[in-house]
Amino acid sequence: MTSSFQRIHGGPDQHGKPLFDFSTNSNACGPCPQALAAIGQADPTQYPDAGYTALRGQLAALHDVDVRRVVLAASASEFIFRISSLAAQRGARAVSLPPHSYGDYAQAAHAHRLALVAQTDEAQLRWACEPSSPLGVAHEGLGSLPDRAASAMLVLDRAYEPLRLDGAAALTHAQLQSVWQLWTPNKALGLTGVRAAYAIAPLGSDADAQAMEALCPSWPVGSHGVAMLQAWTSPDVRGWLAESLNTLREWKKRQIALLESSGWICEPSDANFFCARPPGMEPPESLALALAQLRAQGIKLRDTTSFGLPGLVRVSVLPPAAQYALHNAWQHIIGKSA
């Protein structure tokens, strides 16, 4: 029996690894050398500490929270499914999503027979993401969500907060203490192949944090994931990340200018990715054909139709060589169709 949900993601596909991959939002300055070295030194012959004592302490210190609020996860997607399970156990009937969002939120709701509702106030589990994917901005009304949550679970996916290039978070420090915060450092470190994540539980929600632990299998994070998360807390890695953001800002300006010179319309974004509308791609089949032609040349972009944004593509910020490869390939495609 196959699921009715189709898992659509960026990155390698049936054709292998793209030569120039604009379809994922990984930090193009990566991999972070210090984190990569830590992973290389990890000992895969040994189990991690089943309680992750040292790692939890380091993550708690990084976020200046009580260690009991740190919940480890095999990945962000694993956490999404696990907290959806907890919500269902607690009697949740409905889930609300941002207007355009990561597909696993809806898939997890479907798996636990939770209805998707358009009105946030009708949901007992509420998802938010900032900067959001695919648009890279906060969705309208995000700042008021914590104040309206009451007894509902509100989860803020902060996967792209470390890759923020502009703007500031919509929620105050006090508001952040009242929501679940989901962190996925592998994107910021350019190490998306290492699957490890963690969440910070809301202040005063020890029972929910303990319930999430009870739903978790033993050793959700292997030795390589532990090494990556420990590196994430180190000053050297934080320094590398800060420097990479300066580089990404310059690359982003250059990339947008190059696309706009070919008639692309680029949407505002605070992150290391943005959505864009390529010119002359109507009907929708034209865009699908153009993306397939680009893929044949080793260039992959992320069609945002599955996000509810037909006609647009999500484009991650890559180095100038990749930008020129996209520009030249696009000119060739347009020339052939003229």
Side-chain angles (χ1 to χ4, degrees):
M1 178 175 166
T2 58
S3 170
S4 60
F5 279 93
Q6 183 180 6
R7 297 185 185 274
I8 301 174
H9 299 292
D13 51 26
Q14 68 271 27
H15 303 296
K17 177 183 176 181
L19 181 61
F20 299 110
D21 191 358
F22 292 86
S23 72
T24 74
N25 298 334
S26 181
N27 187 339
C29 295
C32 171
Q34 297 93 330
L36 189 62
I39 292 168
Q41 294 167 10
D43 184 359
T45 70
Q46 299 293 322
Y47 287 109
D49 164 24
Y52 298 98
T53 309
L55 174 58
R56 288 179 189 274
Q58 289 167 307
L59 292 171
L62 176 67
H63 292 277
D64 192 23
V65 299
D66 189 287
V67 70
R68 291 174 296 181
R69 294 175 62 187
V70 177
V71 175
L72 294 175
S75 66
S77 294
E78 186 272 321
F79 176 88
I80 290 166
F81 275 76
R82 196 183 344 152
I83 202 167
S84 298
S85 174
L86 177 61
Q89 287 187 8
R90 295 283 174 83
R93 300 176 306 280
V95 175
S96 65
L97 312 179
H100 310 287
S101 59
Y102 183 45
D104 277 21
Y105 306 148
Q107 290 175 1
H110 176 76
H112 294 287
R113 300 183 179 181
L114 301 172
L116 297 179
V117 294
Q119 297 299 320
T120 302
D121 293 341
E122 298 176 3
Q124 293 77 45
L125 175 59
R126 305 171 184 181
W127 287 100
C129 181
E130 187 197 14
S132 67
S133 177
L135 292 172
V137 294
H139 68 83
E140 186 177 355
L142 172 59
S144 67
L145 279 184
D147 303 324
R148 294 159 50 195
S151 60
M153 285 184 177
L154 175 57
V155 186
L156 176 64
D157 188 339
R158 308 194 76 186
Y160 301 115
E161 184 61 38
L163 289 166
R164 177 186 292 278
L165 304 182
D166 295 292
L171 303 188
T172 66
H173 176 76
Q175 287 177 315
L176 287 171
Q177 303 315 303
S178 68
V179 308
W180 282 90
Q181 301 177 55
L182 176 57
W183 293 90
T184 321
N186 58 359
K187 296 179 178 64
L189 300 178
L191 292 164
T192 52
V194 183
R195 311 300 295 160
Y198 64 96
I200 304 299
L203 187 64
S205 62
D206 289 0
D208 282 351
Q210 292 170 8
M212 284 291 285
E213 295 291 352
L215 287 171
C216 185
S218 298
W219 297 293
V221 180
S223 57
H224 297 97
V226 169
M228 181 188 71
L229 292 179
Q230 288 181 321
W232 171 245
T233 69
S234 75
D236 286 348
V237 168
R238 311 298 291 185
W240 174 88
L241 176 60
E243 290 182 7
S244 77
L245 298 185
N246 291 329
T247 300
L248 290 171
R249 289 185 185 97
E250 293 302 315
W251 287 353
K252 183 177 181 181
K253 291 177 185 178
R254 182 192 297 262
Q255 187 164 315
I256 289 175
L258 195 59
L259 289 174
E260 290 180 340
S261 72
S262 297
W264 293 50
I265 299 175
C266 299
E267 302 291 334
S269 166
D270 294 332
N272 66 317
F273 57 88
F274 54 91
C275 284
R277 185 179 300 278
M281 292 292 108
E282 296 177 359
E285 292 78 9
S286 299
L287 178 57
L289 177 59
L291 294 180
Q293 292 174 323
L294 286 173
R295 185 66 187 89
Q297 299 182 55
I299 301 171
K300 186 175 181 182
L301 280 69
R302 177 71 155 86
D303 188 338
T304 58
T305 299
S306 65
F307 288 103
L309 293 169
L312 297 177
V313 292
R314 190 188 68 194
V315 188
S316 67
V317 174
L318 293 189
Q323 298 174 17
Y324 286 118
L326 171 59
H327 175 77
N328 294 335
W330 184 258
Q331 296 302 318
H332 180 68
I333 289 171
I334 295 301
K336 288 177 62 176
S337 62

